[in-house]
Amino acid sequence: MSSPANDREKVVSKLPGWLRQSLKVRAAQYGVEIQVAVEQGITDWCRLASTAATIDTSGADSFSTFLPSGQWEEFRQIATDRRVSLIQGLAQSVQLWLDANPAPEVERPEITRRIIVCNQKGGVGKTAITAGLGEALAEDSEALHPVRVAKALTKALRDSETQSGDMPPLDDPLDIENLPGPGLKVLLVDFDPQCHLTNQLGATPLPMNGDSLTNHMAGDPKGDLRDLIVSIDEDNFGGRLHLLPACNDAFLLDVRLSAVRAREAALERALAPLEADYDVIIVDCPPSLGLSMDAAAYYGRRRDGEKPGQSGALIVVQAEDSSADAYELLTTQIDDLRGDLKVDIDYLGIVVNLYDSRRGYIATSSLQGWVDIKDPRVVGLIGDLKEQKEAVRVKKPLLSYAPKSQQAVGMRALAKEVL
Ligand SMILES: Nc1ncnc2c1ncn2[C@@H]1O[C@H](COP(=O)(O)OP(=O)(O)OP(=O)(O)O)[C@@H](O)[C@H]1O
Ligand SMILES: [Mg+2]
């Protein structure tokens, strides 16, 4: 909430709930304070040459803000002259500001962004991060959602430096900001024969004898890949979050790929026809290094005309020593691919998942180790908390199941970093 500046005075009036909500969202979309928006609206209203349309103010309840001293008095005078109640005048002023500042268009990338979520180490949270990131990117741009602000990460690191294991970081309410969602069209690709992402989101794995991504990659499609896609229908995603489910046949992918021409491009050939429908495609990789991982990394390479850091590999790790060896192996494979195929594959960052500073020195010092890598940098820090497991249990997207949880606010922070 806005704080009083020295030259502002507190004003208490009334505003209908729907108008207050629109004002809150729009001010956040433009990054302006509510008091500034109201001030501008009132200034414009006072200068109006003709009467503004009457607004339904029924059910208006208390609304207070801070205005430059003298503005409210002037407004009151003009309202009296115009024979308009203060509540009506204020509602018209707010509406005037909303009309002058229409909802910004969602910014869509020219080239569909491809994010490859990977690490051959099992159980680090690739699937959880794929889902959470996709959900955060698809959230409604016409509503506000709690996001952890960047300084929380810095604070966690400071805690880790002082090795104070006694206070769990990442949960200070002061570190939370309410922001509009990115509103992007997102396709999640379950690229893991274990079908975890598919199951987690409450979808059904594709049957073995039907069509699948594997068939399309192996050059043996049985139909349109689009027909396999399902929508994750929760209100906050507004039909923008889709999933391409996996099929157990992906266990045979590496074998089938070995007979395919230019096999590193197999995932790209399969997914390219879908790209026009999406702003972002996120690929949840299996815990393995092989031909399918090559195909995924190649799909995330930087394309001609694409800016660095738009597409690439997002590496999920844990704050523990064994993660470091796995990281070396993965980055070696990606670096080899870069050299062999002469392509640019960007690292979008490292996500440290399942973090719990109360585990003490091993956790805090390994987190510091990840941060010290610097390139790629740590773009996300997600705590080890119950909501993720509960969401999996009830097969619901985390951001619908527990939209205000620490994990959800962390996923939104990750989405902000990646965007
Ligand atoms: N931040 C978290 N807090 C609590 N539990 C988590 C968190 N992240 C993941 N988990 C849980 O840990 C388990 C492994 O996570 P997940 O399946 O996402 O890992 P993965 O790297 O995709 O595994 P695999 O290598 O098998 O594909 C799951 O039960 C998941 O719900
Ligand atoms: Mg997984």
Side-chain angles (χ1 to χ4, degrees):
M1 194 64 216
S2 42
S3 60
N6 289 341
D7 56 347
R8 285 182 178 260
E9 60 189 2
K10 184 169 181 179
V11 167
V12 181
S13 182
K14 284 185 172 182
L15 208 56
W18 58 271
L19 198 52
R20 179 206 311 262
Q21 186 58 22
S22 301
L23 172 64
K24 231 164 109 177
V25 172
R26 197 69 54 79
Q29 286 170 331
Y30 279 91
V32 303
E33 285 183 84
I34 288 176
Q35 59 180 10
V36 173
V38 177
E39 176 193 338
Q40 284 171 0
I42 291 182
T43 304
D44 290 347
W45 188 85
C46 289
R47 290 194 192 128
L48 276 184
S50 54
T51 23
T54 303
I55 290 177
D56 180 4
T57 56
S58 54
D61 56 14
S62 180
F63 171 78
S64 64
T65 189
F66 294 88
L67 294 176
S69 58
Q71 188 184 30
W72 190 250
E73 202 38 56
E74 185 195 349
F75 166 72
R76 183 197 294 271
Q77 193 57 54
I78 295 175
T80 310
D81 293 349
R82 291 183 185 168
R83 297 174 199 279
V84 169
S85 76
L86 286 178
I87 296 171
Q88 181 60 227
L90 180 63
Q92 290 179 1
S93 301
V94 169
Q95 188 60 55
L96 212 53
W97 183 82
L98 290 170
D99 294 345
N101 297 274
E105 293 270 320
V106 169
E107 271 183 54
R108 304 195 182 279
E110 270 174 41
I111 301 175
T112 297
R113 296 179 63 172
R114 290 119 23 241
I115 300 176
I116 311 304
V117 181
C118 52
N119 190 341
Q120 76 287 357
K121 187 168 156 54
V124 292
K126 296 177 286 294
T127 301
I129 297 298
T130 300
L133 174 62
E135 291 159 26
L137 289 170
E139 269 186 328
D140 193 358
S141 62
E142 285 294 308
L144 301 182
H145 315 272
V147 183
R148 192 200 311 134
V149 296
K151 70 176 196 282
L153 182 59
T154 325
K155 183 164 144 268
L157 295 175
R158 205 176 51 232
D159 288 352
S160 81
E161 268 166 9
T162 55
Q163 293 162 25
S164 70
D166 43 327
M167 186 189 71
L170 308 177
D171 57 357
D172 185 341
L174 289 178
D175 291 333
I176 308 290
E177 214 176 308
N178 286 310
L179 296 174
L184 297 173
K185 290 187 223 154
V186 178
L187 175 66
L188 304 176
V189 177
D190 190 347
F191 194 43
D192 184 347
Q194 301 177 97
C195 308
H196 285 164
L197 180 64
T198 305
N199 286 322
Q200 257 185 46
L201 293 173
T204 314
L206 299 167
M208 281 293 275
N209 49 4
D211 201 11
S212 66
L213 177 58
T214 305
N215 287 339
H216 283 252
M217 289 180 67
D220 185 21
K222 296 188 178 169
D224 190 337
L225 203 52
R226 244 181 229 102
D227 296 339
L228 304 180
I229 291 174
V230 292
S231 180
I232 307 300
D233 284 328
E234 299 279 341
D235 286 349
N236 39 342
F237 311 130
R240 289 175 298 273
L241 182 64
H242 292 181
L243 167 75
L244 176 56
C247 171
N248 287 137
D249 70 356
F251 278 118
L252 299 170
L253 181 61
D254 276 21
V255 177
R256 288 181 68 184
L257 276 185
S258 59
V260 168
R261 165 191 67 82
R263 55 194 177 225
E264 66 282 349
L267 184 61
E268 172 142 320
R269 281 196 296 266
L271 295 181
L274 307 176
E275 288 178 10
D277 298 338
Y278 299 99
D279 300 313
V280 185
I281 296 182
I282 312 180
V283 180
D284 180 24
C285 291
S288 61
L289 294 175
L291 295 182
S292 48
M293 184 56 220
D294 278 357
Y298 181 84
Y299 184 54
R301 82 192 183 287
R302 194 192 310 156
R303 291 183 182 165
D304 286 346
E306 192 174 22
K307 279 195 242 122
Q310 297 287 296
S311 295
L314 186 67
I315 306 176
V316 182
V317 300
Q318 275 176 264
E320 55 176 43
D321 295 339
S322 60
S323 259
D325 298 336
Y327 173 80
E328 285 292 328
L329 271 175
L330 175 69
T331 51
T332 303
Q333 184 181 9
I334 293 179
D335 290 347
D336 286 351
L337 205 61
R338 277 169 160 171
D340 294 349
L341 300 172
K342 307 221 168 5
V343 290
D344 292 313
I345 301 169
D346 293 334
Y347 291 113
L348 300 179
I350 297 174
V351 180
V352 182
N353 186 36
L354 287 155
Y355 182 68
D356 185 351
S357 69
R358 289 167 302 183
R359 291 201 187 113
Y361 180 68
I362 295 294
T364 56
S365 63
S366 349
L367 172 59
Q368 192 60 50
W370 292 118
V371 171
D372 289 342
I373 293 178
K374 293 206 167 67
D375 184 17
R377 66 193 178 93
V378 171
V379 288
L381 179 60
I382 307 288
D384 183 352
L385 296 163
K386 65 181 173 57
E387 284 84 357
Q388 171 62 37
K389 290 197 173 66
E390 289 170 359
V392 169
R393 170 77 66 89
V394 299
K395 295 182 188 284
K396 276 195 79 151
L398 171 72
L399 273 65
S400 311
Y401 171 74
K404 296 192 170 143
S405 64
Q406 280 307 308
Q407 282 169 332
V409 300
M411 293 293 184
R412 294 190 191 101
L414 168 64
K416 247 181 117 216
E417 285 299 312
V418 168
L419 271 180

